[in-house]
């Protein structure tokens, strides 16, 4: 296996300076599998990525929770079996009818958003503006008519507390974490979040994913776990994907007009016009909001032509895989037409992951992004002012620019 010609301290420093560039340069120089330092392996080739994701929960597994603490949900454990059962209940419960009903509600909310954007004309906080909408949206989707007014703010507070832990390139021993203020704060915010979710689930009202989970036989703890997973993912990821789509369409006016013509044909439910789907696919290829995942290697784990050492940590940056995969001509170019007659091979397009741990809210997120884009494009035109930069410390987000908004 090729190995990076840097010591661990130098590699971590390079990663901290430019996370995306560090992984991309390593993949381009060394190939689909490279040892970063002892115990850490970078995997970027589509075939190899597919092997890892497909075999998660078997020869690869997740060993850390939201706070990067040791997880007990390891292969063969009762905890993993319970979580996978909870996931299946949630995924099956997100029916097409439920998603279409939510899209109709979200279209109204997106219409109100378009009016606010037009009043402002220059939007310098696009991510925050969109995240407010998507956080309210997922709360409504989960809780129906129940009182979930406290959930978006509590979820944001928990994400703010988790950010220093998730964004840090450094690993600390368990005994150090016990005395870190950020760990204490994250613990308090998670506890508060769980209490808010349970209170909302038990409040008066009906509908939403909560009904599905309870009808599936889940107890309060399992319901709260499922809601936490969905809310954390859906709080910022659809907002980031929508923001990147607006940025790219603003930078490519002809493709913006193609997408707008499709939006005019959209009727608020599936199937959406294919061009809108192409916009989402191309946006998530170039800018996968959840851009990197990790797995731990179990016994006998194959990865393409390599057998990886047990106990090693595998890092998979989807942002890099989507650029090095040979199936994408001119991979840096934003081109929605590449999806017109194209289906990527396994492992080459994984914005929501793949295999048994694929994002359980993927269909919901896609519905959100398409709905918001369709409504906004029906009413507005977009340009950018300033240099668009990429923040890859956690969710992959655009920053450093203003979105200029004009009426159609």
């Amino acid at each position: 296996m090729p190995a990076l010609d840097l010591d661990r301290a130098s590699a971590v420093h390079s990663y901290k300076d430019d996370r995306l560039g560090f992984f991309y340069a390593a993949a381009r120089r060394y190939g689909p599998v490279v040892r970063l330092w002892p115990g850490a392996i970078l995997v970027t080739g589509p075939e190899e990525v597919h092997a890892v994701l497909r075999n998660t929960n078997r020869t690869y597994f997740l060993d850390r929770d939201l706070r990067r603490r040791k997880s007990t949900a390891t292969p063969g454990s009762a905890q993993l079996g319970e979580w996978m059962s909870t996931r299946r209940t949630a995924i099956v419960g997100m029916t097409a009818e439920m998603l279409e009903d939510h899209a109709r509600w979200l279209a109204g909310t997106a219409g109100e958003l378009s009016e606010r954007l037009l009043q402002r004309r220059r939007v310098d906080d696009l991510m925050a503006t969109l995240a407010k909408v998507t956080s309210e949206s997922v709360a409504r989707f989960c809780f129906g008519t129940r009182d979930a007014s406290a959930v978006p703010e509590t979820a944001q507070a928990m994400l703010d507390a988790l950010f220093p832990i998730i964004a840090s390139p450094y690993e600390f021993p368990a005994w150090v974490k016990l005395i870190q203020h950020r760990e204490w704060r994250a613990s308090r915010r998670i506890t508060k979040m769980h209490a808010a979710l349970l209170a909302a689930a038990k409040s008066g009202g009906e509908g939403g994913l909560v009904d599905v989970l309870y009808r599936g036989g889940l107890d309060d703890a399992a319901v709260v776990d499922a809601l936490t997973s969905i809310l954390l993912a859906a709080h910022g990821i659809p907002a980031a994907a929508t923001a990147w789509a607006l940025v790219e369409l603003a930078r490519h006016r002809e493709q913006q007009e193609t997408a707008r013509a499709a939006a005019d044909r959209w009727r608020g439910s599936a199937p959406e016009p294919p061009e809108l789907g192409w916009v989402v696919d191309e946006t998530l290829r170039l800018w996968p909001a959840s851009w990197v995942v990790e797995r731990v290697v179990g016994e006998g784990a194959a990865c393409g032509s390599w057998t990886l050492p047990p106990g090693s940590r595998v890092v998979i940056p989807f942002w890099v895989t989507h650029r090095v995969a040979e199936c994408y001509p001119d991979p840096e170019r934003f081109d929605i037409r590449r999806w017109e007659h194209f289906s990527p091979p396994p492992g080459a397009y994984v914005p929501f992951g793949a295999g048994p741990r694929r994002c359980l809210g993927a269909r919901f997120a896609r519905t959100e992004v398409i709905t918001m884009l369709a409504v906004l494009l029906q009413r507005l035109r977009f340009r950018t002012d300033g240099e668009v930069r990429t923040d890859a410390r956690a969710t992959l987000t655009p920053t450093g620019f203003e979105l200029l908004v004009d009426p159609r």
Side-chain angles (χ1 to χ4, degrees), residues 216-289:
L218 273 61
D219 60 19
D220 288 345
V223 168
V224 167
D225 284 346
L227 293 174
T228 299
S229 178
I230 293 167
L231 283 161
L232 286 184
H235 192 86
I237 288 176
T242 305
W244 277 117
L246 291 175
V247 165
E248 290 293 357
L249 292 174
R251 295 195 288 199
H252 298 85
R253 299 300 296 276
E254 182 178 343
Q255 295 186 66
Q256 183 177 158
E257 292 307 315
T258 299
R260 179 170 292 107
D264 287 340
R265 304 197 309 272
W266 182 77
R267 295 293 177 263
S269 62
E272 72 272 359
E275 295 88 345
L276 288 178
W278 301 346
V279 171
V280 175
D281 287 336
E282 184 68 349
T283 299
L284 292 176
R285 183 191 69 82
L286 273 176
W287 308 110

Side-chain angles (χ1 to χ4, degrees), residues 127-260:
M127 265 302 301
T129 299
L130 292 174
K132 186 176 187 300
V133 174
T134 57
S135 63
E136 293 173 355
S137 170
V138 71
R140 188 262 183 190
F141 182 76
C142 287
F143 295 99
T145 62
R146 296 172 179 83
D147 180 10
S149 56
V151 170
E153 182 178 351
T154 309
Q156 185 60 58
M158 184 172 75
L159 285 170
D160 291 343
L162 288 171
F163 179 79
I165 299 172
I166 296 170
S168 175
Y170 305 109
E171 291 285 344
F172 295 97
W175 67 268
V176 172
K177 293 183 179 182
L178 290 174
I179 60 174
Q180 286 181 315
H181 174 71
R182 70 184 192 184
E183 294 286 340
W184 298 351
R185 183 175 64 170
S187 179
R188 291 194 299 270
R189 296 284 177 83
I190 290 172
T191 299
K192 187 175 181 179
M193 174 69 171
H194 287 172
L197 294 178
L198 186 58
K202 295 297 186 181
S203 65
E206 62 181 2
L209 193 61
V210 166
D211 281 357
V212 173
L213 297 175
Y214 277 123
R215 283 200 303 267
L218 273 61
D219 60 19
D220 288 345
V223 168
V224 167
D225 284 346
L227 293 174
T228 299
S229 178
I230 293 167
L231 283 161
L232 286 184
H235 192 86
I237 288 176
T242 305
W244 277 117
L246 291 175
V247 165
E248 290 293 357
L249 292 174
R251 295 195 288 199
H252 298 85
R253 299 300 296 276
E254 182 178 343
Q255 295 186 66
Q256 183 177 158
E257 292 307 315
T258 299
R260 179 170 292 107

